[in-house]
Amino acid sequence: MDSSRISEHGFLADGGTAALVDRAGSVNWWCPYRFDAPSVFGRLLDDDAGHWSIAPDGAAGCERAYLDDTLVLRTVFTTRHGAVAVTDALALEPGARGHEIGRRPPRMLARVVQGLSGTVRMRLHYRPRFEYGRVTAFLTVRDGLVEATAGAATLRLRSDVPVEFGVGEATTRFDVRAGETYGFTCAFTPTYDGGRPTVPAAGRVLADATTGWRSWADLHDYRGRYRAEVRRSAMVVQGMTYQPSGAVVAAATTSLPEEPGGDRNYDYRYVWVRDFSLTLQALWRAACPDEANRQFAWVARAMGRIDGEPAPIMYGVEGERDLTEHRLDHLRGYADSRPVFVGNDAWRQRQSDVLGEVLDAAWLMRHYLDPMSAEVRTLLRALADQAATDWRRPDAGMWEARDAERHYVSSKVQCWTALDRAVRFGPRLGDAADVARWAAARDAVREAVLTRGWNDRLGAYAGAFDSADLDASVLIMPLVGFLPAEDPRMRATMDLVERRLSHDGLLRRWDGDPAGFVICSFWLVGCLALAGEQDRAERLFEQLVARVNDLGLFAEQIDPVTGEQLGNFPQAFSHIGLINAAWRLTECADRARTRAVRQPAGERTR
């Protein structure tokens, strides 16, 4: 399959969905209705699943970058005849600024070609394929626009140059001279919505998108270390937010493999409660408190009452719970990695760590939850009650094992987190009897983890009770305050995890994991910083950040040998890990400076 590498892609977003465009100027992924809707450009998963390319007709060099503080992508192609820029963006609502952007996305993809020097021959190939590549549309010209309709979806293309039609495609070649500009806008509409909205000029769309993203960026002024990296990651997380609800999807794609040719190819275009607390922390620390508030409101509405039922662990972007998984057998998959999935059956699993994620997030935002609504109070009480009983049960764990449930240490630790935060809330959450019951359960969880989670033969905390298998998820223990990083057993665990699971700075989740899992590596950064190893933590952080693609984007995993990014892309979890690790480095450095100032001069010289 002749598809671009995952890391070759840039990320465009509009608050409702995303598009991926590669270095060769081809849009290889776009699900225009919303993140988890069927694609109209799906070449990322099969050459025949649709694309839209605009690039020089011949060999060309390529340099690209986002316009400052935007998700507007500018690619400069250089040929022996001259240079040309192609600028791409998903449309934002005209006039939307700051926190309004993306609330009502127009569902349009705009591309502007600008001659920079000489004369460059360009080639456009527009080949939509609806329903994940199943349907070839018939293209016609109507009202001066190229219209493609297939079932419930219609695309209308406005082009500044004439195009020629083939079967299900439009093509053209055109010359661009220095100073000339040509625009192209592709607009999606439901076929039967009864309207035919105007398709604006591409230049206007780009101007609105640039202004909108910059107005959002101006509202967020992170002051900590690694400011540029944090601001870019915060914008990526914002781009992965479904603005009508405030939910953040795990990734923009489905079925990009953890290992080329492998079968762990899951659909990540949904919202995991596991990511919830870390997302909130990241947005908070990146100076995005309004987004954090919307996130908490979303999860409270989505979860509703959970009395007597396991807490749901994931949702659709509008709170849907049934995400039943099925295969798209007509697609070959990225790099021939089958199966391709839509939906994700992890929604059926019990994952007890989500209890801690939500209560930890609530504690982080406790000042904004005062007074606490009855809806939120009922939810948090139910989660704490569930942690007090279900911590004794096995679950699928945070890596969503599909073979058997186990007593995962990280799940127990997060049950402890849920109970610890509930106790801290005290009378705001429950009466004296409730608090006493939660405290007793918290202490029981702690004792169980310290005894059954520790493996003498391994000399470390294992991934599950009574197991000898290492798992990087135990690194959350210092990060949630379960144990200090300086604790001898925790320190030994960190050392062994790094020694056995790390390769060239990338940390695998377990022995046999095909590649380094990016957020685990950032967890190690945080643990090292908490252990007082600031210099080593900073070196590891900078080593990790150097592995982003040329646009500052991370996938889920990275092959430590080849450096190839793997898994769904871009991955919110990875960017959340970067933000939280940068904040941890800032916090620990500030504390160290404060201690140094307070310490007597004579003691500092010993």
Side-chain angles (χ1 to χ4, degrees):
M1 181 176 177
D2 185 26
S3 61
S4 302
R5 293 185 302 164
I6 293 169
S7 59
E8 294 277 306
H9 289 85
F11 169 63
L12 312 177
D14 61 6
T17 187
L20 300 183
V21 54
D22 69 13
R23 291 175 60 86
S26 179
V27 180
N28 293 332
W29 187 252
W30 188 32
C31 306
Y33 186 67
R34 68 181 212 180
F35 287 104
D36 58 348
S39 64
V40 296
F41 302 133
R43 186 157 72 169
L44 199 59
L45 297 177
D46 192 299
D47 277 344
D48 293 329
H51 71 280
W52 179 20
S53 62
I54 302 177
D57 188 18
C62 166
E63 292 185 4
R64 59 184 184 167
Y66 287 114
L67 302 187
D68 290 344
D69 286 330
T70 76
L71 289 178
V72 177
L73 179 61
R74 185 173 189 264
T75 303
V76 175
F77 295 104
T78 303
T79 75
R80 62 191 182 94
H81 300 292
V84 64
V86 179
T87 305
D88 300 318
L90 287 178
L92 303 180
E93 185 180 14
R97 301 292 178 263
H99 298 305
E100 298 175 345
I101 66 169
R103 298 294 174 90
R104 293 173 294 276
R107 301 187 179 101
M108 297 180 189
L109 173 58
R111 317 192 71 183
V112 170
V113 180
Q114 179 185 14
L116 302 179
S117 65
T119 300
V120 180
R121 184 80 164 167
M122 301 293 289
R123 182 176 186 269
L124 178 149
H125 189 189
Y126 175 73
R127 194 168 186 264
R129 291 291 183 269
F130 296 81
E131 294 284 338
Y132 297 109
R134 284 193 179 98
V135 181
T136 300
F138 183 76
L139 274 59
T140 60
V141 175
R142 183 177 297 179
D143 300 329
L145 304 176
V146 178
E147 186 168 283
T149 296
T154 295
L155 292 179
R156 303 169 73 210
L157 175 67
R158 173 172 174 165
S159 171
D160 283 352
V161 298
V163 298
E164 298 176 355
F165 294 95
V167 177
E169 65 182 12
T171 61
T172 190
R173 287 177 171 81
F174 59 102
D175 291 331
V176 181
R177 298 171 180 82
E180 293 181 339
T181 299
Y182 298 93
F184 308 86
T185 305
C186 181
F188 166 85
T189 56
T191 301
Y192 301 108
D193 72 348
R196 296 173 57 82
T198 301
V199 180
R204 175 184 156 193
V205 173
L206 290 187
D208 284 335
T210 301
T211 301
W213 281 114
R214 286 176 174 165
S215 69
W216 181 86
D218 287 344
L219 296 175
H220 309 101
D221 192 15
Y222 168 78
R223 296 287 184 169
R225 307 192 64 186
Y226 304 105
R227 185 172 184 267
E229 292 84 355
V230 168
R231 284 176 68 84
R232 172 52 56 195
S233 287
M235 185 158 286
V236 172
V237 174
Q238 176 69 3
M240 296 174 70
T241 302
Y242 183 73
Q243 291 296 338
S245 68
V248 177
V249 296
T253 57
T254 179
S255 299
L256 297 186
E258 296 178 8
E259 183 177 20
D263 60 0
R264 291 176 58 87
N265 317 321
Y266 301 124
D267 193 346
Y268 276 16
R269 298 172 298 163
Y270 306 109
V271 187
W272 270 256
V273 178
R274 167 178 306 104
D275 304 5
F276 170 69
S277 177
L278 292 175
T279 302
L280 271 172
Q281 291 175 32
L283 292 172
W284 192 270
R285 291 161 179 171
C288 308
D290 289 338
E291 282 76 7
N293 285 329
R294 291 191 70 217
Q295 276 280 292
F296 198 87
W298 176 86
V299 83
R301 288 192 299 268
M303 280 194 149
R305 296 185 66 91
I306 61 168
D307 297 342
E309 297 290 334
I313 64 100
M314 62 185 294
Y315 297 91
V317 293
E318 293 184 352
E320 301 91 344
R321 294 195 186 187
D322 187 344
L323 306 177
T324 299
E325 186 175 280
H326 64 277
R327 300 184 181 207
L328 301 180
D329 289 330
H330 66 288
L331 295 178
R332 295 171 60 185
Y334 175 87
D336 291 320
S337 301
R338 288 180 172 174
V340 173
F341 286 117
V342 168
N344 193 310
D345 275 346
W347 75 275
R348 305 175 189 272
Q349 294 182 346
R350 178 189 300 275
Q351 297 177 15
S352 299
D353 62 294
V354 303
L355 309 172
E357 262 97 29
V358 178
L359 271 150
D360 193 31
W363 180 250
L364 175 73
M365 299 188 61
R366 59 193 178 277
H367 300 303
Y368 289 84
L369 296 176
D370 192 8
M372 186 181 291
S373 70
E375 177 187 36
V376 170
R377 185 173 182 269
T378 299
L379 172 64
L380 297 182
R381 280 173 55 89
L383 294 175
D385 287 341
Q386 193 166 121
T389 57
D390 284 10
W391 76 266
R392 299 179 185 275
R393 301 182 61 167
D395 72 335
M398 68 166 53
W399 307 135
E400 303 184 337
R402 295 197 174 195
D403 54 351
E405 292 187 336
R406 297 174 179 83
H407 290 280
Y408 289 101
V409 168
S410 56
S411 295
K412 312 302 182 187
V413 168
Q414 287 291 30
C415 285
W416 174 91
T417 302
L419 294 162
D420 178 74
R421 302 325 186 243
V423 170
R424 293 191 199 187
F425 271 119
R428 292 183 61 190
L429 210 58
D431 58 27
D434 291 324
V435 175
R437 177 166 49 84
W438 295 332
R442 176 195 60 187
D443 296 343
V445 177
R446 180 178 176 83
E447 179 63 23
V449 170
L450 294 178
T451 54
R452 294 185 63 188
W454 176 261
N455 184 291
D456 281 323
R457 183 162 54 88
L458 194 62
Y461 288 104
F465 281 3
D466 309 317
S467 169
D469 296 328
L470 277 178
D471 192 309
S473 65
V474 300
L475 293 178
I476 69 168
M477 295 165 79
L479 301 180
V480 299
F482 182 87
L483 276 178
E486 302 95 331
D487 176 271
R489 285 188 167 188
M490 191 69 240
R491 179 73 259 193
T493 301
M494 290 161 51
D495 290 343
L496 190 63
V497 165
E498 184 175 15
R499 188 163 65 250
R500 289 197 183 177
L501 299 183
S502 179
H503 181 94
D504 198 20
L506 288 169
L507 202 63
R508 291 172 293 134
R509 290 169 289 181
W510 58 77
D511 189 19
D513 198 11
F517 203 79
V518 174
I519 197 171
C520 293
S521 304
F522 283 122
W523 286 346
L524 181 58
V525 169
C527 289
L528 292 172
L530 288 171
E533 297 191 49
Q534 184 78 11
D535 290 344
R536 194 153 76 89
E538 290 176 3
R539 288 195 299 272
L540 177 56
F541 181 90
E542 291 167 7
Q543 189 176 354
L544 292 169
V545 167
R547 291 184 177 274
V548 295
N549 78 352
D550 58 320
L551 297 172
L553 303 176
F554 272 124
E556 179 184 36
Q557 295 184 261
I558 299 176
D559 187 310
V561 177
T562 66
E564 179 67 14
Q565 299 213 31
L566 299 168
N568 285 299
F569 179 87
Q571 181 81 9
F573 221 21
S574 300
H575 288 277
I576 289 162
L578 183 154
I579 294 169
N580 286 330
W583 176 86
R584 187 77 67 179
L585 289 171
T586 301
E587 180 188 51
C588 290
D590 289 346
R591 288 178 181 174
R593 281 193 297 270
T594 300
R595 286 195 297 268
V597 169
R598 292 176 177 173
Q599 191 176 20
E603 294 184 16
R604 291 201 299 270
T605 60
R606 291 177 187 172

